[in-house]
Amino acid sequence: MADAPVIVVGAGIAGLTCALALARSGRPVTLIEKRTHLEEVGAGLQLSPNASRVLIDLGLGKALMRAACAPLSLDVVLGRSGQRLARAPLADAMMARYNAPYLVIHRADLQQILLDHVRGLGVIPIHVGRTPQHIEQDEHGVTLTMTNQQGDLEHLNGQALVGADGLHSSVAGLLGDPSQARPAGYQAWRGTVPMRAVPQHLETNRTTLWLGREGHAVTYPLQGGQSFNLVVVTREKSAEQGWSREGQTDVLRARLRHWSPLLPLIEAMQSFKIWTLYDRPPRARWNKGRCVLIGDAVHPVLPFLAQGAALAIEDAASLSLCLTRYPDQPAEAFATLSRIRHVRAERVQQQARRNGQIYHLPWPLSLARDRVIAQKGAGLMEDYDWLYGWSLAGKTALTPPAL
Ligand SMILES: Cc1cc2nc3c(=O)[nH]c(=O)nc-3n(C[C@H](O)[C@H](O)[C@H](O)COP(=O)(O)OP(=O)(O)OC[C@H]3O[C@@H](n4cnc5c(N)ncnc54)[C@H](O)[C@@H]3O)c2cc1C
């Protein structure tokens, strides 16, 4: 089945990036998506240099620069008073240190840019409204059985299959690992507002991390400065299941009633969506033969490090490289992918969990945290070379175990 496509299940960030990378390397690809419309909702995403570098290498640079913003700095402030603890430079500093930008972008814009580039290649069929039911594989290839919108069964043959179907992956279950991510005890309130409605006292060309005992918040500009993003994360013991739902401004306002610098922004927001945050350890093995999982399907990341999408993008590029190294042995390629990505994914997940604990420290432990942040000051991001400095460059020359 050498001419059969790699079947990529899930046209989200991981799946679209993977399809692009594979097609660019000359491999036939077919995308399968459960939804019938590929337009995204959601709110902002931070795209750190480890991810922006991959997207730029895939030719998305110009489109990204049009839709995204590069905030001047990361400011850490206290939610109640607005007092600034630290300001770490981002835009120029990140370019100088990592040779790739630290961007913020609306999720819908990123999804659209990826989709435009996938469609622009003109060689990647996208089958929407399909739900995987069964996966079979042997030494020659893979057969995916799925239902279409009418409920009829369809079969698709491929040389390999990539499960990029997100947090509640059904491909994982079909490959024999039905374990599920669990609510992590947090919920995220996300909303955007036109820039003209942002209260004047807020600095809109920066990313700001707001800390307080009630939760934490992050604000930054979006859409080339046309809109402004707010995400607030609160602890929630009995978080509801489900991906996103409508949130009431009154409830959030009551929770953050002591955060006077941020309240006017909450007032200006028309609506919020609430996300229950999920977590799980990474799956022990990412692949079964010539089928593999990437992105949230294999290692969801709590958003306290802003790395879930970034890791998914790294996975996609790494997968394409592994298949280039083992062009006719997808099982070997995917076992290598699992081996080289597992440790990094776990480290990122752990750091995100740790950040969540630090951001939500109760008083008086929070005083010690604030002192450390203030001492680090402009050097706040310098502990993250291991994260933001990631790149595929040079890895093609390495032997497989070190890839
Ligand atoms: C509040 C919040 C803030 C975040 N902020 C950031 C951030 O700033 N930076 C960052 O890097 N990450 C961030 N993330 C994480 C990021 O959103 C995810 O890690 C990322 O979307 C994962 O991409 P994915 O492609 O693996 O999954 P998804 O984006 O979920 O895509 C999965 C795709 O598969 C499809 N699908 C699902 N099931 C099936 C099926 N059975 N068959 C076919 N298709 C299917 C879905 O419809 C979807 O299109 C944040 C997450 C949250 C909740």
Side-chain angles (χ1 to χ4, degrees):
M1 282 203 207
D3 293 337
V6 176
I7 303 168
V8 178
V9 180
I13 293 169
L16 289 169
T17 311
C18 182
L20 256 185
L22 290 173
R24 285 266 158 94
S25 72
R27 213 165 262 271
V29 188
T30 296
L31 266 166
I32 302 297
E33 167 60 46
K34 183 174 71 173
R35 293 176 295 162
T36 48
H37 298 287
L38 293 176
E39 292 76 26
E40 265 296 340
V41 285
L45 279 180
Q46 303 182 57
L47 263 189
S48 49
N50 47 317
S52 69
R53 175 180 294 120
V54 171
L55 298 179
I56 290 167
D57 285 350
L58 285 173
L60 277 59
K62 274 196 190 140
L64 279 182
M65 294 311 168
R66 270 197 301 273
C69 295
L72 295 177
S73 64
L74 168 68
D75 291 5
V76 185
V77 305
L78 296 179
R80 289 186 174 214
S81 63
Q83 181 198 336
R84 193 167 80 213
L85 299 173
R87 168 168 288 174
L90 278 186
D92 294 345
M94 284 285 175
M95 268 314 278
R97 203 172 174 95
Y98 302 116
N99 199 26
Y102 198 112
L103 301 173
V104 284
I105 187 164
H106 200 289
R107 190 188 172 84
D109 291 337
L110 176 59
Q111 172 90 5
Q112 194 59 52
I113 290 169
L114 284 165
L115 201 51
D116 288 347
H117 280 74
V118 162
R119 287 182 172 142
L121 287 181
V123 292
I124 305 177
I126 307 180
H127 301 286
V128 297
R130 305 303 203 277
T131 307
Q133 301 295 340
H134 188 65
I135 297 170
E136 254 178 65
Q137 60 174 312
D138 59 24
E139 65 274 25
H140 304 297
V142 177
T143 303
L144 171 67
T145 303
M146 52 200 173
T147 41
N148 63 20
Q149 289 172 67
Q150 289 72 43
D152 300 328
L153 285 179
E154 292 176 352
H155 305 282
L156 185 63
N157 294 325
Q159 55 178 276
L161 183 142
V162 179
D165 55 340
L167 187 63
H168 304 291
S169 169
S170 66
V171 170
L174 296 176
L175 294 177
D177 180 356
S179 63
Q180 294 288 329
R182 295 184 184 283
Y186 300 97
Q187 64 183 18
W189 303 66
R190 298 166 101 186
T192 59
V193 71
M195 194 57 93
R196 61 179 184 286
V198 177
Q200 287 212 329
H201 67 278
L202 295 177
E203 290 197 68
T204 52
N205 51 0
R206 302 181 188 279
T207 294
T208 306
L209 169 63
W210 304 73
L211 296 176
R213 69 182 69 167
E214 299 81 0
H216 82 273
V218 185
T219 51
Y220 49 78
L222 286 177
Q223 297 173 315
Q226 299 296 304
S227 64
F228 199 58
N229 183 75
L230 169 66
V231 51
V232 178
V233 178
T234 53
R235 274 204 182 276
E236 223 56 59
K237 280 208 183 80
S238 57
E240 269 179 57
Q241 301 269 344
W243 181 229
S244 76
R245 57 194 181 279
E246 291 300 321
Q248 288 164 339
T249 308
D250 293 358
V251 176
L252 186 58
R253 205 168 42 215
R255 289 221 165 178
L256 299 188
R257 61 188 173 283
H258 300 299
W259 291 34
S260 43
L262 207 55
L263 275 179
L265 181 66
I266 295 171
E267 300 282 353
M269 298 260 166
Q270 306 273 312
S271 65
F272 284 93
K273 285 241 184 254
I274 298 183
W275 270 257
T276 297
L277 301 187
Y278 286 80
D279 200 5
R280 59 161 300 134
R283 298 179 195 273
R285 204 175 147 79
W286 295 23
N287 79 303
K288 184 172 178 189
R290 47 181 74 224
C291 301
V292 69
L293 301 169
I294 60 170
D296 274 11
V298 68
H299 52 56
V301 185
L302 287 168
F304 311 132
L305 192 60
Q307 284 297 313
L311 268 195
I313 290 166
E314 286 184 12
D315 287 348
S318 305
L319 182 150
S320 176
L321 180 63
C322 288
L323 272 176
T324 305
R325 179 180 291 285
Y326 297 103
D328 304 317
Q329 298 160 273
E332 192 57 44
F334 294 162
T336 303
L337 181 77
S338 170
R339 200 166 59 239
I340 62 171
R341 296 291 298 158
H342 191 268
V343 173
R344 179 169 171 84
E346 198 158 310
R347 184 173 182 190
V348 171
Q349 282 187 314
Q350 282 168 359
Q351 183 65 47
R353 282 184 206 117
R354 225 173 2 251
N355 279 9
Q357 285 158 2
I358 293 169
Y359 292 170
H360 292 249
L361 277 177
W363 188 89
L365 293 174
S366 59
L367 296 178
R369 171 200 64 202
D370 296 348
R371 236 186 343 264
V372 171
I373 291 174
Q375 274 163 5
K376 290 201 170 186
L380 203 57
M381 306 293 270
E382 286 172 8
D383 294 340
Y384 287 113
D385 280 354
W386 65 272
L387 184 58
Y388 303 140
W390 183 91
S391 145
L392 271 184
K395 291 201 167 57
T396 43
L398 300 178
T399 53
L403 184 74

